Amino acid sequence: MIKIGITGGIGSGKSVVSSLLGVNRIPVYVADAESKRLSDTSPAIRKKLTDLFGSGIYVNDLLDRKRLASFIFSSEHVLKKVNGIIHPAVKKDFHAWVKQQKGNTCAVESAILFESGFNKAVDVILLVYAPVELRLTRAMKRDGAAEADIMKRMNRQMPEELKRKEADCVIINDDVQALIPQVDRFLKLLTKK
């Protein structure tokens, strides 16, 4: 089975491209959503996070993401510890999910594909690229967040230039170039592999 890794910075339009792959009958594992699900439901993750931050990190049986964010954005060391808890669980869940897929192609969408090591679990890397100003505007509108908060998140991600060098294919999502023809070209290239 061919596994596609879809990545790009915050606000680049990964979800739109994932949806277009879905329309083409390619199932997509959305790592961010699954990470949230696992953080809320996995007893192993819950134990490790409560050992690290105390029982108050969970409120009404759900992970207090705002509180967790306040810890991880204040310390690179804490971020690494949290990633060391969550990323392995998400990768394990992804591999189990892949085994359940019926077709010959599937994908994983992850903003931190390289940072999490997910790039080693895929065969083809598809980067969704958009200019920083556009990404910032999209993310602020979508999340209702302040520019400074979005910039903090952007600065924690691998630079787009480095992702571009590692990607097998780049889709430009700049609100000028049409996405569907670019996705179609990518899928045609994929069938030739």
Side-chain angles (χ1 to χ4, degrees), residues 110-123:
S110 174
I112 54 171
L113 190 83
F114 295 101
E115 298 91 329
S116 65
F118 245 123
N119 59 312
K120 295 179 180 99
V122 299
D123 306 302

Side-chain angles (χ1 to χ4, degrees), residues 3-131:
K3 295 181 283 301
I4 304 164
I6 306 162
T7 194
I10 183 173
S12 62
K14 295 175 298 297
S15 297
V16 175
V17 171
S18 293
S19 295
L20 290 172
L21 291 181
V23 167
N24 284 280
R25 295 193 175 122
I26 296 174
V28 180
Y29 181 94
V30 181
D32 188 46
E34 298 304 328
S35 168
K36 288 175 181 168
R37 176 185 61 81
L38 289 167
S39 296
D40 287 337
T41 62
S42 165
I45 291 175
R46 179 182 297 256
K47 172 151 181 24
K48 289 175 184 174
L49 289 178
T50 54
D51 286 351
L52 197 57
F53 301 110
S55 60
I57 199 70
Y58 282 84
V59 177
N60 296 328
D61 241 12
L62 299 174
L63 179 63
D64 184 342
R65 288 181 175 73
K66 283 188 179 181
R67 187 157 185 231
L68 180 65
S70 72
F71 290 126
I72 63 176
F73 284 124
S74 64
S75 167
E76 192 70 31
H77 175 71
V78 172
L79 175 64
K80 284 182 182 174
K81 278 189 166 193
V82 171
N83 286 345
I85 293 167
I86 295 174
H87 291 171
V90 174
K91 280 185 214 155
K92 183 178 176 184
D93 190 65
F94 169 69
H95 289 298
W97 176 86
V98 167
K99 289 178 183 174
Q100 296 173 354
Q101 303 313 305
K102 305 286 186 242
N104 58 0
T105 308
C106 68
V108 57
E109 174 192 322
S110 174
I112 54 171
L113 190 83
F114 295 101
E115 298 91 329
S116 65
F118 245 123
N119 59 312
K120 295 179 180 99
V122 299
D123 306 302
V124 179
I125 297 172
L126 174 62
L127 172 67
V128 182
Y129 174 83

Side-chain angles (χ1 to χ4, degrees), residues 145-182:
E147 182 175 338
D149 293 336
I150 299 296
M151 287 304 298
K152 267 187 200 174
R153 289 163 59 192
M154 282 183 170
N155 291 334
R156 288 217 178 255
Q157 294 180 348
M158 182 176 168
E160 294 294 291
E161 299 74 38
L162 294 177
K163 289 180 183 178
R164 215 173 178 144
K165 288 177 185 173
E166 298 294 324
D168 296 296
C169 182
V170 177
I171 288 185
I172 308 294
N173 186 18
D174 59 3
D175 291 346
V176 176
Q177 300 179 56
L179 281 178
I180 293 173
Q182 292 182 79

